[in-house]
Amino acid sequence: MLKYQNQTRLLVAVDCIIFGFDGNKLKILLIKRGLEPKKDHWSLMGGFVQPAESTDEAAKRVLKQLTGLDGVYLEQFYTFSAKDRDPIERTISVAYFALIDIHQYEKQISEEYHAEWFQLDQIPELIFDHSQMVAMAREKLRYKAALHPLLFELLPVKFTLPLLQSLFEDVYETNFDKGNFSRKIISTGLLIKQKDKDKTNSKKGAFYYKLDKKHYKKNFHAVLKFIPNLNNHLEVEK
Amino acid sequence: MLKYQNQTRLLVAVDCIIFGFDGNKLKILLIKRGLEPKKDHWSLMGGFVQPAESTDEAAKRVLKQLTGLDGVYLEQFYTFSAKDRDPIERTISVAYFALIDIHQYEKQISEEYHAEWFQLDQIPELIFDHSQMVAMAREKLRYKAALHPLLFELLPVKFTLPLLQSLFEDVYETNFDKGNFSRKIISTGLLIKQKDKDKTNSKKGAFYYKLDKKHYKKNFHAVLKFIPNLNNHLEVEK
DNA sequence: TCAAAAGTGTTAGTTCTACACCCATGT
DNA sequence: ACATGGGTGTAGAACTAACACTTTTGA
């Protein structure tokens, strides 16, 4: 096969920011890096892109390795390429964020990786430019979730409105009026009310809802104007 | 220097979608590719990332080569990595979009590249996955411009509101009410009214405005809610 | 019966949209 | 004087934010 002449080939990696929501706080999953350099330092889950796979496939593979989960929401958001970002050898990294239902995640599987969930305000020092990746992933999540019904991916199949609200509140670091929030969510037509209630948080109990998968794709933009004063919650990027 | 063992290195390229606005239509700049394969086919401007530069730097370099322009608005938006996207050799490409004032662009400089402006509805067949890149760049531009005062980058320093409106209309393929449009734009506080008018389009003439550079960065989000029914104009991405 | 969380109602204020109208001026 | 594009005014609809109120039920 013909090749391009006189060009330098580079290592290409993927790194995943894996978001989960424990019902109270948004968290990300970190691991203790298994190889030198920076062995045993906290790191995102990542790996080199293999010759036979796209970066999407690489990210899926990596995610499967760490969480055991398939079919997870995964989105490429930025490629990091500073020439000294990896001290050992020039590597460019395509970064992804993933949204998983934290309860489906099998702790056992990950224990061999020494994985741990961290709240966003308690993230330890990370290797390389991984802190910057996390910050950017978080920002992108806010952007995207303001326009698209994305955060449902972090919840179980059945969830209550108060739970959904507390997720939004944690993502946007603000509080919403429950009345206004529930009206807006309901008005998207994305949710189907269930007959049963979750009574773990109150005597009265809160009705469960499910996503209406039919309307889900169709109304993928329906969340615009969800966030009061969105402007205050999206940071300037550059 | 130590290296990572047993990993495949890949070619990494950048490709640029260069947007310009001629006062009437949004256009992109394409070139006839200079090397095999697909020599003389229409293509985005791109190039391989060199060992000493980040992808941002590579994109800047490529842009300078084609347009002669420095300090142009340039934004990375997606990395394309399908393993057969380049038939010669596996190459991943980091795609950027650029916004330039078409009138500052020196036609002479580009003639050696056989560059040409194309309206978005008249784009010829492009090599590799470049058509997909263009489609995605356009979509990202709509997203970003709905939230940030970005489109000013496509205009001269002094511009009129009708001109700005026609740019928005072309980007979003819709028509805005001029009264509502001008009130919303003015209310951002981003524009400074000039004393002189542009009389090329009417007897009365339309006042020129300039961007208020001070407020520009500060109010970078101020454009939210600019696009009536934004939902109808942003496509589902995936 | 009472505390606590879920959920509904209400209202004042704001913003949006559509469209009518006025303005400036070269021909 | 009038046609043309620039620019302003405005009424009704729609949406928002804030907060008071009602409901449910386990303890």
PDB file of all heavy atoms in Angstrom, chain A residues 50-64:
ATOM      1  N   GLN A  50      -6.214   1.771  18.601  1.00  0.00           N
ATOM      2  CA  GLN A  50      -5.599   0.664  17.867  1.00  0.00           C
ATOM      3  C   GLN A  50      -5.811   0.838  16.366  1.00  0.00           C
ATOM      4  O   GLN A  50      -6.735   1.533  15.936  1.00  0.00           O
ATOM      5  CB  GLN A  50      -6.229  -0.650  18.337  1.00  0.00           C
ATOM      6  CG  GLN A  50      -6.098  -0.912  19.827  1.00  0.00           C
ATOM      7  CD  GLN A  50      -4.642  -0.877  20.298  1.00  0.00           C
ATOM      8  OE1 GLN A  50      -4.291  -0.150  21.213  1.00  0.00           O
ATOM      9  NE2 GLN A  50      -3.779  -1.629  19.626  1.00  0.00           N
ATOM     10  N   PRO A  51      -4.970   0.192  15.584  1.00  0.00           N
ATOM     11  CA  PRO A  51      -5.039   0.375  14.117  1.00  0.00           C
ATOM     12  C   PRO A  51      -6.409   0.029  13.537  1.00  0.00           C
ATOM     13  O   PRO A  51      -6.828   0.626  12.555  1.00  0.00           O
ATOM     14  CB  PRO A  51      -3.983  -0.599  13.590  1.00  0.00           C
ATOM     15  CG  PRO A  51      -3.075  -0.866  14.732  1.00  0.00           C
ATOM     16  CD  PRO A  51      -3.871  -0.692  15.979  1.00  0.00           C
ATOM     17  N   ALA A  52      -7.113  -0.883  14.160  1.00  0.00           N
ATOM     18  CA  ALA A  52      -8.353  -1.357  13.545  1.00  0.00           C
ATOM     19  C   ALA A  52      -9.594  -0.661  14.086  1.00  0.00           C
ATOM     20  O   ALA A  52     -10.709  -1.074  13.799  1.00  0.00           O
ATOM     21  CB  ALA A  52      -8.486  -2.865  13.738  1.00  0.00           C
ATOM     22  N   GLU A  53      -9.445   0.392  14.857  1.00  0.00           N
ATOM     23  CA  GLU A  53     -10.634   1.012  15.453  1.00  0.00           C
ATOM     24  C   GLU A  53     -10.606   2.534  15.311  1.00  0.00           C
ATOM     25  O   GLU A  53      -9.535   3.149  15.294  1.00  0.00           O
ATOM     26  CB  GLU A  53     -10.751   0.630  16.941  1.00  0.00           C
ATOM     27  CG  GLU A  53      -9.617   1.157  17.792  1.00  0.00           C
ATOM     28  CD  GLU A  53      -9.647   0.681  19.250  1.00  0.00           C
ATOM     29  OE1 GLU A  53     -10.501  -0.143  19.601  1.00  0.00           O
ATOM     30  OE2 GLU A  53      -8.798   1.156  20.020  1.00  0.00           O
ATOM     31  N   SER A  54     -11.805   3.097  15.215  1.00  0.00           N
ATOM     32  CA  SER A  54     -11.944   4.551  15.249  1.00  0.00           C
ATOM     33  C   SER A  54     -11.793   5.010  16.699  1.00  0.00           C
ATOM     34  O   SER A  54     -11.786   4.190  17.612  1.00  0.00           O
ATOM     35  CB  SER A  54     -13.314   4.948  14.713  1.00  0.00           C
ATOM     36  OG  SER A  54     -14.311   4.446  15.577  1.00  0.00           O
ATOM     37  N   THR A  55     -11.745   6.316  16.898  1.00  0.00           N
ATOM     38  CA  THR A  55     -11.649   6.794  18.280  1.00  0.00           C
ATOM     39  C   THR A  55     -12.936   6.487  19.040  1.00  0.00           C
ATOM     40  O   THR A  55     -12.901   6.180  20.233  1.00  0.00           O
ATOM     41  CB  THR A  55     -11.336   8.300  18.355  1.00  0.00           C
ATOM     42  OG1 THR A  55     -12.321   9.026  17.630  1.00  0.00           O
ATOM     43  CG2 THR A  55      -9.962   8.600  17.774  1.00  0.00           C
ATOM     44  N   ASP A  56     -14.076   6.539  18.349  1.00  0.00           N
ATOM     45  CA  ASP A  56     -15.334   6.169  19.004  1.00  0.00           C
ATOM     46  C   ASP A  56     -15.269   4.726  19.515  1.00  0.00           C
ATOM     47  O   ASP A  56     -15.673   4.431  20.646  1.00  0.00           O
ATOM     48  CB  ASP A  56     -16.509   6.268  18.017  1.00  0.00           C
ATOM     49  CG  ASP A  56     -16.982   7.703  17.836  1.00  0.00           C
ATOM     50  OD1 ASP A  56     -16.246   8.628  18.226  1.00  0.00           O
ATOM     51  OD2 ASP A  56     -18.082   7.890  17.292  1.00  0.00           O
ATOM     52  N   GLU A  57     -14.766   3.869  18.661  1.00  0.00           N
ATOM     53  CA  GLU A  57     -14.670   2.465  19.066  1.00  0.00           C
ATOM     54  C   GLU A  57     -13.681   2.292  20.216  1.00  0.00           C
ATOM     55  O   GLU A  57     -13.926   1.507  21.147  1.00  0.00           O
ATOM     56  CB  GLU A  57     -14.266   1.601  17.864  1.00  0.00           C
ATOM     57  CG  GLU A  57     -15.403   1.439  16.856  1.00  0.00           C
ATOM     58  CD  GLU A  57     -14.935   1.024  15.464  1.00  0.00           C
ATOM     59  OE1 GLU A  57     -13.699   1.030  15.192  1.00  0.00           O
ATOM     60  OE2 GLU A  57     -15.802   0.706  14.636  1.00  0.00           O
ATOM     61  N   ALA A  58     -12.603   3.028  20.149  1.00  0.00           N
ATOM     62  CA  ALA A  58     -11.623   2.959  21.230  1.00  0.00           C
ATOM     63  C   ALA A  58     -12.245   3.407  22.552  1.00  0.00           C
ATOM     64  O   ALA A  58     -12.049   2.779  23.599  1.00  0.00           O
ATOM     65  CB  ALA A  58     -10.406   3.818  20.898  1.00  0.00           C
ATOM     66  N   ALA A  59     -13.015   4.491  22.485  1.00  0.00           N
ATOM     67  CA  ALA A  59     -13.637   5.013  23.710  1.00  0.00           C
ATOM     68  C   ALA A  59     -14.637   3.995  24.274  1.00  0.00           C
ATOM     69  O   ALA A  59     -14.698   3.778  25.482  1.00  0.00           O
ATOM     70  CB  ALA A  59     -14.324   6.346  23.431  1.00  0.00           C
ATOM     71  N   LYS A  60     -15.397   3.382  23.391  1.00  0.00           N
ATOM     72  CA  LYS A  60     -16.360   2.363  23.823  1.00  0.00           C
ATOM     73  C   LYS A  60     -15.644   1.200  24.502  1.00  0.00           C
ATOM     74  O   LYS A  60     -16.085   0.694  25.534  1.00  0.00           O
ATOM     75  CB  LYS A  60     -17.112   1.812  22.603  1.00  0.00           C
ATOM     76  CG  LYS A  60     -18.512   2.362  22.468  1.00  0.00           C
ATOM     77  CD  LYS A  60     -19.196   1.802  21.213  1.00  0.00           C
ATOM     78  CE  LYS A  60     -19.933   2.899  20.478  1.00  0.00           C
ATOM     79  NZ  LYS A  60     -20.014   2.691  19.032  1.00  0.00           N
ATOM     80  N   ARG A  61     -14.556   0.784  23.900  1.00  0.00           N
ATOM     81  CA  ARG A  61     -13.792  -0.334  24.447  1.00  0.00           C
ATOM     82  C   ARG A  61     -13.275  -0.009  25.850  1.00  0.00           C
ATOM     83  O   ARG A  61     -13.446  -0.795  26.797  1.00  0.00           O
ATOM     84  CB  ARG A  61     -12.616  -0.647  23.503  1.00  0.00           C
ATOM     85  CG  ARG A  61     -11.614  -1.658  24.025  1.00  0.00           C
ATOM     86  CD  ARG A  61     -10.533  -2.006  23.003  1.00  0.00           C
ATOM     87  NE  ARG A  61      -9.796  -0.871  22.465  1.00  0.00           N
ATOM     88  CZ  ARG A  61      -8.858  -0.190  23.127  1.00  0.00           C
ATOM     89  NH1 ARG A  61      -8.559  -0.496  24.377  1.00  0.00           N
ATOM     90  NH2 ARG A  61      -8.230   0.819  22.549  1.00  0.00           N
ATOM     91  N   VAL A  62     -12.702   1.165  25.964  1.00  0.00           N
ATOM     92  CA  VAL A  62     -12.139   1.611  27.234  1.00  0.00           C
ATOM     93  C   VAL A  62     -13.220   1.676  28.318  1.00  0.00           C
ATOM     94  O   VAL A  62     -13.030   1.259  29.460  1.00  0.00           O
ATOM     95  CB  VAL A  62     -11.478   2.992  27.017  1.00  0.00           C
ATOM     96  CG1 VAL A  62     -11.421   3.791  28.298  1.00  0.00           C
ATOM     97  CG2 VAL A  62     -10.091   2.817  26.400  1.00  0.00           C
ATOM     98  N   LEU A  63     -14.374   2.183  27.914  1.00  0.00           N
ATOM     99  CA  LEU A  63     -15.480   2.332  28.844  1.00  0.00           C
ATOM    100  C   LEU A  63     -15.980   0.966  29.308  1.00  0.00           C
ATOM    101  O   LEU A  63     -16.290   0.763  30.481  1.00  0.00           O
ATOM    102  CB  LEU A  63     -16.602   3.070  28.127  1.00  0.00           C
ATOM    103  CG  LEU A  63     -17.600   3.766  29.009  1.00  0.00           C
ATOM    104  CD1 LEU A  63     -16.924   4.892  29.768  1.00  0.00           C
ATOM    105  CD2 LEU A  63     -18.731   4.312  28.167  1.00  0.00           C
ATOM    106  N   LYS A  64     -16.067   0.072  28.378  1.00  0.00           N
ATOM    107  CA  LYS A  64     -16.494  -1.296  28.698  1.00  0.00           C
ATOM    108  C   LYS A  64     -15.524  -1.930  29.700  1.00  0.00           C
ATOM    109  O   LYS A  64     -15.927  -2.569  30.654  1.00  0.00           O
ATOM    110  CB  LYS A  64     -16.560  -2.112  27.410  1.00  0.00           C
ATOM    111  CG  LYS A  64     -16.932  -3.577  27.585  1.00  0.00           C
ATOM    112  CD  LYS A  64     -18.433  -3.779  27.587  1.00  0.00           C
ATOM    113  CE  LYS A  64     -18.839  -5.143  28.096  1.00  0.00           C
ATOM    114  NZ  LYS A  64     -18.931  -6.162  27.070  1.00  0.00           N
TER     115      LYS A  64
END
